[in-house]
Amino acid sequence: MADEDQTTDAPNPEETKPEGATNGAAQPQQMPQMQVLGQFIRDLSFENVAVQKGRAMEGQPDISVKVGLEAKKRSAEGQYEVAVKLNVTGKVKGADEPIFAMELDYAGVFAISNVPENQMHPYLMIECPRMLFPYLRRIVSDVSRDGGFPPLNLENIDFVALYRNEVTRRMQAESGQQKPS
């Protein structure tokens, strides 16, 4: 005689509930979801000014990094394009003329769901650039090295602080415009 597993056709009550459903309780809010659909360089420019002008670079350059962010909704439902724009300049300490200049416009296309509309703007301006940053850092490092300089390894960018500063700046600009002359 062989041992057989006994099965019944009666459904398990736990299996018949929709996922996330509870007995009479409100449905829990679903977690935000993001999928990177693609990334690309929109624009890239690197100028080795020191070589063009026949100057030798001496010592460590003084590096200036400016960051800009841009986001827009795409025509497909739930898709957004976010771009990080970097302007990197290297100067010899104490001099005004740059020894190199780099401009990089790096973008990503994201599918985003379960983010409330009132939180979409900060999500696009903080979380999406955070996802792009490691790739952006690698491009800056490679281009600066290939341009004849030591690889420029960008420090982490605090996109939360960047967003807060921009919101504060806009609020101050709006309050300044509302004051009567």
Side-chain angles (χ1 to χ4, degrees):
M1 229 193 243
D3 289 333
E4 292 182 18
D5 289 336
Q6 291 190 351
T7 59
T8 61
D9 290 335
N12 181 343
E14 293 299 317
E15 292 175 9
T16 58
K17 289 182 186 178
E19 190 175 49
T22 57
N23 293 334
Q27 290 276 345
Q29 184 179 359
Q30 292 189 355
M31 294 296 294
Q33 294 186 351
M34 174 199 317
Q35 180 181 8
V36 181
L37 301 177
Q39 304 175 57
F40 56 97
I41 297 172
R42 237 196 251 165
D43 190 23
L44 173 62
S45 170
F46 182 85
E47 293 182 58
N48 188 334
V49 179
V51 169
Q52 291 174 11
K53 302 235 176 168
R55 288 186 278 138
M57 188 190 88
E58 297 173 11
Q60 282 288 96
D62 189 18
I63 306 294
S64 167
V65 178
K66 294 179 184 174
V67 181
L69 300 174
E70 178 182 281
K72 65 182 178 181
K73 184 158 180 42
R74 293 173 54 105
S75 58
E77 182 65 30
Q79 287 189 13
Y80 299 86
E81 184 176 311
V82 177
V84 179
K85 298 179 179 202
L86 286 183
N87 188 330
V88 182
T89 307
K91 297 179 181 180
V92 174
K93 292 185 181 182
D96 286 338
E97 196 166 319
I99 54 173
F100 74 85
M102 180 187 314
E103 292 180 9
L104 174 60
D105 188 349
Y106 191 74
V109 177
F110 299 87
I112 299 173
S113 59
N114 302 327
V115 176
E117 191 62 36
N118 66 341
Q119 294 179 10
M120 185 59 77
H121 189 259
Y123 192 86
L124 291 171
M125 302 306 260
I126 297 169
E127 294 306 320
C128 294
R130 211 180 276 178
M131 294 296 291
L132 296 175
F133 185 72
Y135 304 98
L136 185 103
R137 173 190 276 157
R138 172 74 188 269
I139 293 167
V140 169
S141 177
D142 288 351
V143 169
S144 62
R145 182 198 65 228
D146 292 348
F149 295 93
L152 176 58
N153 295 313
L154 295 176
E155 295 290 326
N156 282 327
I157 297 173
D158 185 351
F159 291 104
V160 173
L162 196 65
Y163 182 77
R164 286 181 181 154
N165 290 343
E166 181 62 18
V167 168
T168 302
R169 186 191 66 77
R170 285 186 181 190
M171 288 173 49
Q172 289 173 346
E174 287 176 6
S175 67
Q177 289 176 353
Q178 294 175 356
K179 290 181 181 177
S181 304

